[in-house]
Amino acid sequence: MNITASNLENPSRRNLQRLFLLRSVMIIFMLAATLALSYLHIPLPQYPITFAVGGMLLLNLITLLRLNKHASNVNDQEVLLQLLADLLALTILFYYTGGYSNPLVWMYLLPLTVAAVALKREYTWLLATVAIACYSILVFYYVPLSHLHMHDI
């Protein structure tokens, strides 16, 4: 397949590449945190965590395949939808792992930072509104993490 200059100069495509890398770091960080908590014998809900992290992995695989095709038709709407999917996955993860008190809740800032740098103002405000709504919901609705060891029960 021929790589054209327009494929390489598409700002949305470059932003999607950066989002792919950032999401990869987020996935590694979440997996490391999950392993650390398992090592500390803090019981975690395996299915929701697997669903959320698996969803991000699947989205990254789709993104990788899309980028490998040298698609020139990547646009800001695609980047926005992927950032919204990231917020959904993070919200599911945080809901089942302590809500707003989860020490990784700062990860909401990562999609917002990407939006602020890469997307037009309207999309950034939309993403910020969704992130604030998700965080606000997590203040009231979440599954608390148990710090009891299984043998202490």
Side-chain angles (χ1 to χ4, degrees), residues 10-150:
N10 181 342
S12 295
R13 180 180 164 73
R14 282 195 313 270
N15 291 332
L16 193 59
Q17 290 170 331
R18 291 176 184 131
L19 180 57
F20 170 81
L21 294 173
L22 178 64
R23 188 180 301 118
S24 298
V25 171
M26 288 171 52
I27 291 167
I28 291 168
F29 204 86
M30 286 186 276
L31 290 174
T34 301
L35 289 173
L37 290 173
S38 295
Y39 178 76
L40 296 172
H41 304 290
I42 296 175
L44 296 172
Q46 295 299 317
Y47 292 119
I49 290 173
T50 302
F51 179 75
V53 176
M56 292 181 88
L57 279 168
L58 179 61
L59 185 57
N60 241 17
L61 177 62
I62 292 167
T63 303
L64 182 63
L65 293 173
R66 180 120 167 85
L67 291 170
N68 281 339
K69 290 184 178 184
H70 305 294
S72 63
N73 60 345
V74 174
N75 57 36
D76 283 353
Q77 290 85 5
E78 182 175 354
V79 175
L80 173 67
L81 288 174
Q82 289 210 15
L83 289 169
L84 287 168
D86 288 336
L87 286 179
L88 174 64
L90 288 172
T91 301
I92 291 168
L93 184 73
F94 296 146
Y95 173 82
Y96 287 100
T97 57
Y100 75 101
S101 65
N102 184 316
L104 298 180
V105 79
W106 61 267
M107 290 179 116
Y108 272 137
L109 296 175
L110 298 175
L112 288 175
T113 303
V114 171
V117 170
L119 298 177
K120 62 184 182 176
R121 182 180 308 162
E122 295 82 7
Y123 291 167
T124 301
W125 279 110
L126 172 65
L127 206 68
T129 302
V130 170
I132 290 168
C134 291
Y135 180 83
S136 298
I137 289 168
L138 290 174
V139 170
F140 300 103
Y141 303 102
Y142 62 92
V143 177
L145 278 181
S146 170
H147 296 289
L148 295 175
H149 297 296
M150 295 308 282

